[in-house]
Amino acid sequence: MIEPDKMEYPTLLAQMVLYFMINLVYSCIAPIMSYFTLLAFGILSLTYRHQLIFTYSRDNEDGGALWPSMINLLILCIYMSEFTLLGILTLKKGAIAATLMSPLIILSFIFILYVRQQHFKVAEYAPSTVCRAKDNSNRDNLIDTASFLRDQFLQPSLKEKESRIPENFSDYDVQLVLEASVHEF
């Protein structure tokens, strides 16, 4: 039997981010673009869901390493659309509307600071698949994990040193991670 192809996630996600950015930038100029983009993403969702389940192999799990860069790209797209709308309002002599855009830009900046402090701190040390497996084992063993949730969200698997290395890493990757962790402290 022929080995199934691997999905090229960077290429696919770059195309999706491009579609998303075009929609965000042009939706303030022509709101009908949002409907076409919604239709395109609906069709692409059905197509790629089928291909991921039935066509492509699943052995290129990276443990969620692509997710932080995707969040940064999407937030950059949001900033570009906000500044485009600000430029359009300024050129159309809408001084009041352009002034009222400043709280939106400030709130977007505060949101990215919040996301970087909360999400990236958790995702930096352990992939979500490892955290989920650890949480499932804690639930199966009836370990109370609610005590650490009272103050902040911190996965129990982040407290354990050995869980920082995903199972699908090669020996060379493990050595790189261990060397990086020595340099952290």
Side-chain angles (χ1 to χ4, degrees), residues 2 6 9 29 73 84 86 109 120 124 126 148:
I2 298 174
K6 294 181 180 179
Y9 288 106
I29 300 169
L73 272 174
T84 301
L86 182 68
F109 182 72
F120 291 158
E124 180 180 1
F148 76 93

Side-chain angles (χ1 to χ4, degrees), residues 52-63:
L52 283 172
I53 293 172
F54 297 112
T55 305
Y56 292 110
S57 69
R58 297 184 188 124
D59 35 325
N60 56 353
E61 171 70 32
D62 63 351

Side-chain angles (χ1 to χ4, degrees), residues 29-41:
I29 300 169
I32 197 163
M33 281 286 296
S34 298
Y35 297 114
F36 290 116
T37 307
L38 179 66
L39 177 68
F41 274 117

Side-chain angles (χ1 to χ4, degrees), residues 5-23:
D5 291 338
K6 294 181 180 179
M7 178 163 274
E8 296 294 329
Y9 288 106
T11 306
L12 173 68
L13 292 176
Q15 292 171 353
M16 297 301 133
V17 167
L18 178 66
Y19 300 154
F20 185 72
M21 187 172 81
I22 289 172
N23 177 49

Side-chain angles (χ1 to χ4, degrees), residues 88-132:
I88 289 171
L89 291 174
T90 304
L91 290 175
K92 296 283 185 177
K93 297 182 175 70
I96 296 173
T99 306
L100 292 175
M101 276 290 295
S102 59
L104 179 65
I105 294 172
I106 292 169
L107 286 174
S108 297
F109 182 72
I110 291 171
F111 174 72
I112 185 58
L113 290 177
Y114 170 76
V115 168
R116 285 188 180 163
Q117 288 174 357
Q118 296 300 317
H119 174 71
F120 291 158
K121 179 173 67 172
V122 173
E124 180 180 1
Y125 297 108
S128 60
T129 53
V130 174
C131 295
R132 185 185 62 205

Side-chain angles (χ1 to χ4, degrees), residues 26 49 56 59 68 80 82 89 93 95-96 98 107-108 113 123 127 132 145 154 170 172-173 176:
Y26 286 109
R49 185 177 303 148
Y56 292 110
D59 35 325
M80 289 182 70
E82 288 175 355
L89 291 174
K93 297 182 175 70
I96 296 173
L107 286 174
S108 297
L113 290 177
R132 185 185 62 205
T145 58
L154 184 63
S170 66
Y172 177 73
D173 294 332
L176 289 176

